[in-house]
Amino acid sequence: QVRLVESGGGSVQAGGSLRLSCAVSGFPPVTKCLAWFRQAPEKEREGVAAISGGGTITDYSDSAKGRFTISRDNAKKMVSLQMTNLKPEDTAMYYCAAIESRFCDSWSSRTVYSWGQGTQVTVSS
């Protein structure tokens, strides 16, 4: 059974940091690109960052570049998102996802293999 379970969300003030983690199971992690998405109220779900199966390729949204870092540990079956210099506009439900491909080509919500249940991040000004 494929499962992705997020942890690490919470409330912080603007300028603060949070680290999200996601434990994956039910498939060999090296075979899937892993990604983080987020969805704010009344907005569409958007991709934040992705990392290839071997961890050598990363991709970030423009809003995440320079502030967020995605990493993975296939031995521990974990993917993480380190978020720094958080802004109120980063407030959203954050979702971990496995992508159909290994190399994150054309990663998007349409190419998701499986979703986690989400973890809330709230940034106050």
Side-chain angles (χ1 to χ4, degrees):
Q1 180 181 2
V2 176
R3 290 191 69 198
L4 297 96
V5 181
E6 302 94 336
S7 60
S11 297
V12 295
Q13 290 190 327
S17 299
L18 278 176
R19 185 178 181 86
L20 306 182
S21 295
C22 175
V24 305
S25 60
F27 62 94
V30 71
T31 64
K32 301 291 183 193
C33 165
L34 296 175
W36 289 94
F37 291 78
R38 68 185 183 186
Q39 188 167 20
E42 301 181 356
K43 291 190 176 181
E44 291 188 359
R45 193 169 297 191
E46 63 175 354
V48 176
I51 185 166
S52 62
T56 57
I57 300 170
T58 57
D59 191 30
Y60 295 91
S61 66
D62 288 343
S63 61
K65 286 178 183 175
R67 300 189 298 127
F68 296 2
T69 303
I70 189 170
S71 60
R72 66 188 292 163
D73 185 331
N74 286 339
K76 295 182 179 178
K77 299 185 178 182
M78 298 284 293
V79 60
S80 298
L81 185 69
Q82 179 68 47
M83 305 186 292
T84 62
N85 191 22
L86 283 161
K87 304 175 182 180
E89 51 264 42
D90 293 318
T91 295
M93 185 71 79
Y94 282 71
Y95 297 89
C96 175
I99 305 298
E100 290 286 354
S101 73
R102 177 173 180 170
F103 299 105
C104 301
D105 46 301
S106 302
W107 69 281
S108 76
S109 59
R110 292 187 295 275
T111 58
V112 168
Y113 172 74
S114 185
W115 292 100
Q117 83 287 351
T119 186
Q120 178 68 36
V121 171
T122 302
V123 184
S124 58
S125 57

